[in-house]
Amino acid sequence: MHPPPPAAGVAMDFGQNSLFGYMEDLQELTIIERPVRRSLKTPEEIERLTVDEDLSDIDRAVYLLSAGQDIQGTSVIANLPILMRQNPTETLRRVLPKVREVLHVASVEMQLTAAVSFLSILQEESMSVHTYAHSFLQIILLNLEHRDTGVSNAWLETLLSAIELLPKETLRHEILNPLVSKAQLSQTVQSRLVSCKILGKLTNKFDVHSIKREILPLVKSLCQDVEYEVRSCMCRQLENIAQGIGTELTKSVVLPELIELSRDESGSVRLAAFETLVNMLDMFDTDDRSQTILPLVKSFCEKSFKADESILISLSFHLGKLCHGLYGIFTPDQHLRFLEFYKKLCTLGLQQENGHSENQIPSQTVEQEKKYTSVRKNCAYNFPAMIVFVDPKNFHMELYSTFFCLCHDPEVPVRYTIAICFYEVSKLLNSGVYLIHKELLTLLQDESLEVLDALINHLPEILELMSIGGESSIQENKLSSLPDLIPALTAAEQRAASSLKWRTHEKLLQKYACLPHIISSDQIYYRFLQRMFTIMMTNNVLPVQRAAARTLCIFLRYNRKQEQRHEVIQKLIEQLGQGKSYWNRLRFLDTCEFIIEIFSKSFFCKYFFLPVIELTHDPVANVRMKLCYMLPKVKSALKIPADMHLLQQLEMCVRKLLCQEKDKDVLAIVKKTVLELDRMEMSMDVFQKKNYEKDLLDQEKEREELLFLEMEQLEKEKHQNEGRSSSEKSFEKKRRDPRTPTQSLPKNIPVPVPGPSSTPSTSKEIKKSKLIRSQSFNNQAFHAKYGNLDKCASKSSTLAHAPSVSGLVRTAVLSLTDDSFRTRNTSSVPASFSPSPVLPSTSRGTGNTADPKSSGSKDAQPRKATLKSRKSNP
């Protein structure tokens, strides 16, 4: 469960009055700018601010604290941790006494700087704890009761951090003993508030006997203070005190105080008592919960609607934790009452209470609406806890209508929070997750991109739960509404693309990589794949283009039709690798990096090796430069001796770059890359110990690619056999019909003759077993999480411990009938998809550099463009 989101920021007002205000500010700035020369420092002032450069750091600090201005003294105090690291002895002896003198009359800024510096010195542990207590503790205690609340709180935070490290005796003599007088009614309210917070921190530093004798009397006194601020502050510290004194003393001392404070006349005190009780539920046994705490909670909830809305905000935030802590002691009637109370909070403020129009709503009602929105947002935050409270089996009857209202709430913060919790709700519903499919579509199509951004954080997991739906769910319920998901996903992507929030668009494209495990290959091909091409070629944000390229590679990886795969490969080579824009050719290299990562080495070498190294002749220096950085990855995809001819072509291209490259930046990278290529060890066709896991993983990828081909072929044969068998059955029926004349039978129809031969049935059995094996592989592959590609290292390490896997993989590879993937020779590729014919070296050779529009630019770019990637919109 995630914490509720922060409140939405106030929108900038661009009304007419505000624009006139901005114009007046600009006029004032022009007036101020005119006499700027008159405000220059006089020679006397410059002389006064000048410090001798020969002074040491310690001498300069002492001088500035003694005779300098406030800003100079503040600078010295800010650098006090540095002085303590460099020269702690002289700093403690000479600088710290000056700091103590200055702080008596220091400004607020200097006081805040000193509190931060003292805390930094404590955290850096540049001195012993005893030295810190002797030198700094008294200064901290003297400034605790500063008249400015912000300064007092800053020094208090420093003291509370110091209490964690100071020894027990120092705490007793320097802090606890003076606290007895500071907590008296005769002291100021600020002093008593500080005493409450210090007592809550000191409890964990002393034993139970010392707490009972020295601290608990002060706690009781402050709980009965005449000021409600002090009672509320002490009430919030009771949780820390209960943890220090144990369960028995908590029941006998702390619980009675909490009960009395829960009936206080001040609403803030009652609220503090309620929140403290909720946080301490685990410390009480069942009897205390049912006999003492439950009646208090019921009374608090019943009075909350008559009280201030701030109490409702706190109650709605803690309601999930409260129901969880009291679960098991509710009677059926109490259980129903709390559920109805939660439902009422979920719709608080949505009913039309009066007939005023929007222009007639007073300002106090607007503030009230904001508080009601906070209540509903907290209810959305607690919705998963309430599903546990009612049992997921009763979700549809008890909570579905409430969930529907939260998903359609008019306020964005409420829908944002329920979108964050959507994955938790899906996990809890398990087999009943199909019940909230419509709400998923609603949030995907939400008009606010904040809601969409919150939902897509766990979109792959949500879609997987939707597609699987649990073991006990009905198949029709699981899959009947999935086609409605595709328009919602495409609409969400288009809405993100049309906005300026490119990070949301990038994240959504990354999450789309899970779609091959959710919907069919044809649906992806016709509805999503072309959109990825469009984004890669037209979008102006580099991270978005790269996200689209990676998702496209995953779509290609799981595509089940060879014709579609060839079409995608051809588009990549022609529209990107041979594109007129140098920007498209750079994106082609990015795509090839993803292909090396996702596909097997043989796949890359068969389709993309030659188009990639052809870019060594690219007329734009940036393309050649990026290719040089990529060459080690290209070489790592080769296997010796099968790819020896490709290795020779790679070496020839590198030699040409070394001899013919004229750009000095590219040449420097080529020389560096050559050294890296020489140090690389080539992969062999036979497994090696060093690269065993990588080779095994690559073989697994290749086996899956081959099985995809075999699945396609076997499915085609299955359809053909079904068509042939149906025609044979109809013909056999006609033949057996006595009314059909024998002469009408064709002579070439084979007649089955009984005998010992069983070859046809055996071949059918073999094909059937292959089809079953392929279908089982399909189920395993498409129900796995898409993140398995990113976790390939861990997968390979697991496979490495199975000695029989390599033998099974080799057997599967050798048994396949499709020869198109067995060899890496490009001559086996059809002419229309062969990499070599579609990449003529003359189309983008060095001789065409005079025409930058056609070969070397995105929009008439020069020969050498900057290597820096296009900056993204913030």
Side-chain angles (χ1 to χ4, degrees):
M1 193 183 298
H2 301 273
V10 180
M12 187 176 293
D13 183 16
F14 290 103
Q16 188 175 5
N17 296 331
S18 62
L19 289 177
F20 281 123
Y22 297 149
M23 294 299 295
E24 292 174 1
D25 293 341
L26 291 174
Q27 292 175 358
E28 291 177 3
L29 288 176
T30 57
I31 295 173
I32 294 173
E33 190 177 359
R34 291 170 187 169
V36 70
R37 293 187 176 275
R38 300 178 186 174
S39 63
L40 295 176
K41 300 295 182 183
T42 62
E44 291 80 8
E45 291 174 329
I46 294 176
E47 181 67 25
R48 198 181 323 124
L49 293 172
T50 303
V51 181
D52 188 1
E53 295 181 358
D54 297 332
L55 292 176
S56 64
D57 292 339
I58 300 296
D59 293 334
R60 187 183 299 110
V62 173
Y63 174 77
L64 293 176
L65 288 171
S66 302
Q69 295 188 359
D70 282 349
I71 189 171
Q72 293 174 318
T74 303
S75 176
V76 171
I77 294 176
N79 291 320
L80 199 59
I82 300 175
L83 295 176
M84 286 297 303
R85 289 195 298 267
Q86 294 175 349
N87 195 345
T89 305
E90 288 298 311
T91 303
L92 292 175
R93 188 175 67 86
R94 299 179 58 192
V95 179
L96 195 60
K98 287 292 182 182
V99 172
R100 185 169 185 169
E101 293 176 9
V102 170
L103 287 178
H104 284 295
V105 292
S107 62
V108 172
E109 183 180 359
M110 188 179 291
Q111 287 274 357
L112 294 174
T113 305
V116 174
S117 295
F118 282 24
L119 181 59
S120 298
I121 293 171
L122 174 66
Q123 293 172 343
E124 290 177 2
E125 300 180 356
S126 55
M127 65 179 70
S128 65
V129 176
H130 293 282
T131 305
Y132 186 89
H134 176 73
S135 305
F136 292 90
L137 187 57
Q138 287 302 320
I139 302 177
I140 297 173
L141 293 174
L142 286 173
N143 292 279
L144 272 179
E145 300 180 22
H146 195 276
R147 59 183 178 275
D148 186 274
T149 306
V151 173
S152 176
N153 291 334
W155 284 113
L156 179 60
E157 290 299 322
T158 304
L159 177 62
L160 295 179
S161 299
I163 288 175
E164 293 286 345
L165 302 175
L166 294 175
K168 186 183 300 185
E169 291 304 318
T170 302
L171 293 176
R172 186 185 301 275
H173 292 97
E174 300 293 340
I175 298 178
L176 184 57
N177 292 341
L179 205 62
V180 176
S181 60
K182 296 289 184 182
Q184 300 301 318
L185 286 175
S186 57
Q187 298 294 323
T188 62
V189 174
Q190 180 67 21
S191 175
R192 304 203 297 275
L193 289 173
V194 169
S195 300
C196 293
K197 296 179 180 179
I198 294 176
L199 284 173
K201 199 72 173 180
L202 285 175
T203 307
N204 296 326
K205 301 295 291 186
F206 293 96
D207 58 277
V208 176
H209 181 70
S210 300
I211 294 172
K212 186 176 180 180
R213 187 182 69 252
E214 302 177 32
I215 294 180
L216 286 183
L218 294 176
V219 171
K220 291 182 179 181
S221 174
L222 291 170
C223 284
Q224 304 297 328
D225 197 277
V226 294
E227 298 293 336
Y228 75 91
E229 297 102 324
V230 179
R231 299 197 302 273
S232 176
C233 183
M234 192 66 252
C235 181
R236 294 187 181 278
Q237 299 300 321
L238 291 179
E239 180 184 357
N240 295 330
I241 293 170
Q243 293 174 356
I245 62 178
T247 306
E248 294 300 325
L249 277 177
T250 297
K251 292 174 63 175
S252 60
V253 178
V254 177
L255 186 57
E257 294 294 335
L258 274 174
I259 295 173
E260 186 173 353
L261 290 171
S262 65
R263 299 165 181 162
D264 196 274
E265 59 184 9
S266 172
S268 62
V269 178
R270 295 197 302 271
L271 180 61
F274 169 76
E275 293 178 354
T276 304
L277 275 173
V278 173
N279 294 331
M280 293 173 56
L281 280 175
D282 295 337
M283 302 187 67
F284 301 116
D285 55 24
T286 305
D287 293 336
D288 291 329
R289 294 181 192 177
S290 58
Q291 298 174 8
T292 306
I293 297 176
L294 184 57
L296 289 175
V297 171
K298 286 176 57 180
S299 175
F300 188 81
C301 293
E302 291 170 357
K303 297 177 181 178
S304 59
F305 280 100
K306 302 176 183 178
D308 184 45
E309 286 81 7
S310 59
I311 295 180
L312 282 176
I313 294 175
S314 176
L315 178 59
S316 61
F317 181 74
H318 291 89
L319 194 60
K321 189 174 183 179
L322 182 66
C323 291
H324 177 72
L326 297 178
Y327 187 80
I329 65 172
F330 285 118
T331 64
D333 183 57
Q334 292 170 342
H335 189 280
L336 183 60
R337 284 187 180 182
F338 268 88
L339 182 59
E340 293 300 323
F341 179 74
Y342 172 76
K343 292 180 180 179
K344 189 175 182 180
L345 291 179
C346 288
T347 57
L348 186 66
L350 296 181
Q351 295 83 4
Q352 189 70 23
E353 297 180 354
N354 50 48
H356 294 292
S357 63
E358 292 184 1
N359 297 330
Q360 297 175 339
I361 296 178
S363 59
Q364 59 180 3
T365 306
V366 174
E367 292 298 322
Q368 192 178 37
E369 280 297 319
K370 292 182 180 178
K371 292 181 179 179
Y372 287 160
T373 301
S374 299
V375 171
R376 300 198 303 273
K377 181 185 70 174
N378 291 337
C379 289
Y381 166 67
N382 283 303
F383 193 83
M386 298 307 295
I387 292 180
V388 177
F389 182 67
V390 301
D391 196 317
K393 297 178 181 179
N394 301 323
F395 168 79
H396 188 265
M397 182 174 59
E398 300 288 351
L399 284 176
Y400 175 74
S401 59
T402 304
F403 186 70
F404 178 87
C405 292
L406 292 174
C407 291
H408 292 81
D409 195 276
E411 299 297 330
V412 173
V414 181
R415 304 197 304 272
Y416 175 88
T417 308
I418 200 66
I420 289 178
C421 300
F422 200 95
Y423 175 52
E424 296 291 335
V425 174
S426 302
K427 286 196 301 183
L428 289 171
L429 292 181
N430 195 10
S431 60
V433 69
Y434 65 91
L435 295 171
I436 59 173
H437 181 82
K438 292 182 179 179
E439 283 63 42
L440 173 64
L441 302 182
T442 300
L443 294 177
L444 280 173
Q445 300 173 15
D446 195 279
E447 59 184 10
S448 172
L449 280 179
E450 295 179 5
V451 177
L452 177 63
D453 188 81
L455 181 67
I456 61 179
N457 286 326
H458 292 284
L459 185 62
E461 294 85 355
I462 294 172
L463 293 180
E464 183 183 1
L465 290 171
M466 290 285 181
S467 62
I468 298 174
E471 297 178 356
S472 60
S473 61
I474 303 173
Q475 188 72 13
E476 288 75 10
N477 288 335
K478 290 191 294 182
L479 301 177
S480 61
S481 54
L482 273 181
D484 300 334
L485 181 67
I486 297 176
L489 290 173
T490 54
E493 188 276 323
Q494 291 173 0
R495 195 167 63 257
S498 61
S499 71
L500 296 178
K501 296 184 178 181
W502 63 266
R503 289 181 178 85
T504 301
H505 192 199
E506 177 195 14
K507 188 194 299 184
L508 185 60
L509 293 177
Q510 291 171 348
K511 302 300 182 181
Y512 276 4
C514 72
L515 291 181
H517 314 298
I518 308 300
I519 59 180
S520 68
S521 175
D522 284 338
Q523 289 173 322
I524 291 175
Y525 179 78
Y526 291 111
R527 300 300 298 270
F528 293 97
L529 206 143
Q530 183 57 42
R531 179 60 182 166
M532 297 300 114
F533 263 113
T534 304
I535 294 171
M536 290 171 62
M537 300 189 66
T538 61
N539 197 281
N540 293 325
V541 183
L542 179 59
V544 173
Q545 288 181 316
R546 289 178 59 85
R550 194 178 195 283
T551 302
L552 183 142
C553 291
I554 294 177
F555 288 168
L556 179 62
R557 172 76 168 81
Y558 288 103
N559 189 283
R560 298 180 60 188
K561 293 187 177 179
Q562 189 171 2
E563 181 180 354
Q564 294 177 357
R565 286 196 297 272
H566 282 164
E567 182 181 348
V568 174
I569 293 170
Q570 186 176 9
K571 277 188 176 182
L572 285 173
I573 295 173
E574 291 180 352
Q575 299 183 18
L576 293 181
Q578 297 177 348
K580 294 182 179 180
S581 169
Y582 86 96
W583 189 256
N584 287 342
R585 300 198 294 276
L586 288 174
R587 299 293 72 78
F588 175 73
L589 293 177
D590 287 335
T591 306
C592 288
E593 289 185 6
F594 294 133
I595 288 173
I596 293 174
E597 173 193 351
I598 296 171
F599 289 83
S600 65
K601 296 178 180 180
S602 61
F603 183 90
F604 172 78
C605 292
K606 181 174 182 179
Y607 292 105
F608 292 98
F609 182 86
L610 294 179
V612 166
I613 64 172
E614 183 70 20
L615 291 177
T616 54
H617 307 295
D618 197 278
V620 177
N622 275 22
V623 179
R624 302 195 302 275
M625 190 178 296
K626 186 174 182 64
L627 176 61
C628 291
Y629 283 119
M630 187 179 166
L631 286 178
K633 293 183 179 180
V634 174
K635 186 178 179 181
S636 66
L638 302 178
K639 290 184 178 180
I640 302 301
D643 297 326
M644 182 61 71
H645 62 293
L646 298 180
L647 178 62
Q648 293 173 355
Q649 294 188 42
L650 176 63
E651 293 175 349
M652 182 176 63
C653 291
V654 173
R655 290 194 195 99
K656 286 184 179 180
L657 281 174
L658 281 172
C659 299
Q660 301 176 4
E661 183 59 54
K662 297 179 181 179
D663 188 280
K664 60 179 183 180
D665 296 328
V666 178
L667 185 60
I669 297 172
V670 171
K671 293 179 180 178
K672 183 179 178 181
T673 305
V674 167
L675 297 176
E676 185 176 354
L677 291 173
D678 290 339
R679 289 193 297 265
M680 289 181 60
E681 294 185 4
M682 293 297 299
S683 300
M684 307 296 290
D685 286 338
V686 183
F687 281 7
Q688 295 175 310
K689 289 185 178 180
K690 292 182 180 180
N691 303 319
Y692 180 78
E693 294 182 358
K694 293 182 180 179
D695 292 343
L696 190 62
L697 178 62
D698 181 71
Q699 192 180 56
E700 181 70 15
K701 291 179 181 178
E702 188 172 355
R703 184 182 72 88
E704 291 178 1
E705 292 163 4
L706 291 167
L707 284 177
F708 278 126
L709 291 174
E710 185 182 9
M711 286 160 56
E712 180 185 2
Q713 182 180 356
L714 292 178
E715 286 177 359
K716 289 180 180 179
E717 292 180 1
K718 180 181 177 182
H719 292 310
Q720 292 175 359
N721 292 334
E722 288 176 353
R724 189 182 300 114
S725 61
S726 61
S727 62
E728 288 179 357
K729 286 180 180 179
S730 61
F731 182 80
E732 183 68 19
K733 184 178 180 181
K734 290 180 181 180
R735 190 181 65 83
R736 292 183 179 181
D737 191 353
R739 292 173 297 178
T740 305
T742 310
Q743 288 79 5
S744 63
L745 293 174
K747 297 180 180 180
N748 57 353
I749 296 298
V751 180
V753 179
S757 176
S758 60
T759 304
S761 61
T762 305
S763 61
K764 288 183 179 181
E765 291 296 327
I766 294 174
K767 290 183 178 180
K768 184 177 179 181
S769 64
K770 284 187 177 182
L771 182 59
I772 294 173
R773 180 166 57 90
S774 302
Q775 290 173 348
S776 66
F777 167 77
N778 180 29
N779 294 333
Q780 294 174 1
F782 280 83
H783 287 297
K785 289 189 177 180
Y786 79 102
N788 290 343
L789 289 174
D790 298 329
K791 300 175 182 177
C792 58
S794 61
K795 179 180 176 182
S796 63
S797 62
T798 306
L799 291 172
H801 293 288
S804 61
V805 171
S806 60
L808 292 174
V809 169
R810 290 174 183 172
T811 305
V813 172
L814 293 174
S815 66
L816 299 178
T817 58
D818 192 349
D819 295 333
S820 62
F821 272 82
R822 288 186 182 178
T823 174
R824 298 189 185 98
N825 190 356
T826 54
S827 61
S828 63
V829 186
S832 58
F833 304 110
S834 179
S836 53
V838 297
L839 283 174
S841 59
T842 59
S843 63
R844 226 175 39 253
T846 55
N848 294 337
T849 57
D851 187 5
K853 292 184 180 179
S854 62
S855 60
S857 66
K858 184 181 182 182
D859 293 310
Q861 294 288 342
R863 172 183 171 82
K864 180 182 176 182
T866 177
L867 184 60
K868 295 181 179 179
S869 30
R870 182 172 301 182
K871 292 186 177 179
S872 307
N873 296 331

